[in-house]
Amino acid sequence: MRTVTSAAAMQRLARRWRAQATRVALVPTMGCLHAGHLSLVRRARRAVGRPGRVVVSLYVNPTQFGPREDWKKYPRDLVRDQRLCRTAGVDVVFAPGDAQMYPSVEGEAFSTWVIEEELSKEMEGRSRPGHFRGVTTVVAKLFNLVLPDVAVFGAKDYQQAAIVRRMVRDLNFPVRLILGATQRDADGLALSSRNRYLVGNLRRQALVLRQAVQQAQALVRGARFPPAAAWLRSALKRRIEQHRDARVDYIEFFHPETLQAMRQVGPGAHLALAVFVGKTRLIDNGRL
Ligand code: PAF
């Protein structure tokens, strides 16, 4: 396994692979890898086989964090991530620094952004202004540097995957997107690098996100008529906030492809929610 830190070197390598007609799969990550990422790596390998190449990018992208968010303290451990990637059969780890990704060339600052204007308005987009501009810009850059045939994203970030899919369609990136299933701990908590912030009984309280999705599934599937979104939202919020340290950021019901909000919620709708558990903001989602 090779580690590449320079953007130019990554692009040179990718162009060589392309000239040899070698298929390439990219798994974009912010590092601090866990079993969820490793399942995306396996999915990537299945997609390109051998002698296809699997690239994992490790980059804590500053432009997708708000000024009061956890960019500075976001966990970073390159050596551990490299070890996990090597064991998982990754071919190349791409771990650029900020100067590689957002260069200020001859004093001229980085000033070009990729902005998706429709799907990014609600949910994460509303709660984290500028977040998706950072995501789409860095993903577009990664696509241009790694030149993947396939890119694998996790379903836990459901809105992110929908936005990247739209960007790929609208800007004609020749990349096939694959959505890897959310991986969970045995008790149902969705794996996330931020779970390590959950100390003491916050970890137990965090289970309420998954429980809320299950409660919504039971209510929607058991109802004779599709319940009103407002009623369902209040029922879930009440349950979540019974936990001392849990505070709902948003609970949304929407069409799984267009992300259009729904007023009546029938089977087949999608639910996404964000909840602060202590100071840690967690997300989860599920099909109803
Ligand atoms: O999902 C993530 O880890 C990040 O948003 C991504 C796609 C790697 C872009 O920085």
Side-chain angles (χ1 to χ4, degrees), residues 27-31 37 57 59-61 64-65 74 131 134-136 138-139 142 153-154 157 160 164:
V27 182
T29 82
M30 298 206 298
H37 295 115
S57 61
Y59 180 57
V60 187
N61 173 36
Q64 68 186 77
F65 289 79
Y74 196 87
H131 169 67
V135 171
T136 42
V138 82
V139 171
L142 290 168
F153 289 81
D157 294 290
Q160 166 174 280
V164 172

Side-chain angles (χ1 to χ4, degrees), residues 186-204:
D187 57 9
L189 182 66
L191 297 187
S192 161
S193 306
R194 290 190 170 98
N195 290 355
R196 62 173 57 192
Y197 302 149
L198 298 170
V199 292
N201 72 12
L202 295 179
R203 171 71 183 65
R204 192 179 43 74

Side-chain angles (χ1 to χ4, degrees), residues 136-153:
T136 42
T137 301
V138 82
V139 171
K141 286 171 70 65
L142 290 168
F143 285 177
N144 285 331
L145 295 173
V146 178
L147 306 177
D149 298 284
V150 172
V152 189
F153 289 81

Side-chain angles (χ1 to χ4, degrees), residues 209-220:
L209 280 90
R210 173 69 165 161
Q211 289 159 0
V213 174
Q214 289 169 331
Q215 181 184 1
Q217 285 166 338
L219 289 169
V220 167

Side-chain angles (χ1 to χ4, degrees), residues 29-254:
T29 82
M30 298 206 298
C32 189
L33 301 181
H34 51 64
H37 295 115
L38 300 180
S39 82
L40 304 183
V41 169
R42 286 194 295 277
R43 190 65 196 79
R45 175 60 71 196
R46 276 212 304 285
V48 293
R50 288 190 197 277
R53 299 285 196 271
V54 173
V55 178
V56 171
S57 61
L58 305 173
Y59 180 57
V60 187
N61 173 36
T63 65
Q64 68 186 77
F65 289 79
R68 298 158 66 104
E69 292 183 354
D70 58 345
W71 177 67
K72 281 217 172 89
K73 74 165 189 171
Y74 196 87
R76 294 160 170 87
D77 191 342
L78 178 61
V79 173
R80 177 179 168 278
D81 288 345
Q82 284 171 311
R83 182 164 41 75
L84 288 171
C85 285
R86 191 172 300 110
T87 310
V90 169
D91 297 294
V92 170
V93 158
F94 177 46
D98 294 336
Q100 289 293 315
M101 292 303 275
Y102 295 102
S104 169
V105 179
E106 292 169 7
E108 307 241 341
F110 180 92
S111 60
T112 305
W113 301 95
V114 178
I115 301 172
E116 193 288 321
E117 293 192 325
E118 193 59 41
L119 307 180
S120 28
K121 282 188 190 146
E122 299 301 329
M123 299 189 278
E124 293 300 290
R126 185 177 289 278
S127 295
R128 305 180 66 189
H131 169 67
F132 284 125
R133 176 182 90 146
V135 171
T136 42
T137 301
V138 82
V139 171
K141 286 171 70 65
L142 290 168
F143 285 177
N144 285 331
L145 295 173
V146 178
L147 306 177
D149 298 284
V150 172
V152 189
F153 289 81
K156 186 172 77 67
D157 294 290
Y158 191 87
Q159 188 182 12
Q160 166 174 280
I163 290 167
V164 172
R165 191 176 299 286
R166 179 64 63 90
M167 177 189 82
V168 162
R169 187 199 75 178
D170 289 351
L171 300 185
N172 307 93
F173 281 100
V175 181
R176 179 164 72 92
L177 295 188
I178 295 178
L179 197 61
T182 303
Q183 302 296 306
R184 298 180 182 278
D185 274 336
D187 57 9
L189 182 66
L191 297 187
S192 161
S193 306
R194 290 190 170 98
N195 290 355
R196 62 173 57 192
Y197 302 149
L198 298 170
V199 292
N201 72 12
L202 295 179
R203 171 71 183 65
R204 192 179 43 74
Q205 295 185 62
L207 296 179
V208 76
L209 280 90
R210 173 69 165 161
Q211 289 159 0
V213 174
Q214 289 169 331
Q215 181 184 1
Q217 285 166 338
L219 289 169
V220 167
R221 291 172 192 175
R224 284 184 58 200
F225 302 104
W231 175 81
L232 209 47
R233 185 177 293 113
S234 316
L236 300 185
K237 184 169 157 58
R238 247 192 333 274
R239 168 166 191 174
I240 292 170
E241 295 189 345
Q242 274 167 7
H243 292 266
R244 203 188 57 197
D245 300 297
R247 183 171 61 76
V248 169
D249 182 4
Y250 66 77
I251 298 174
E252 294 297 341
F253 307 94
F254 54 87

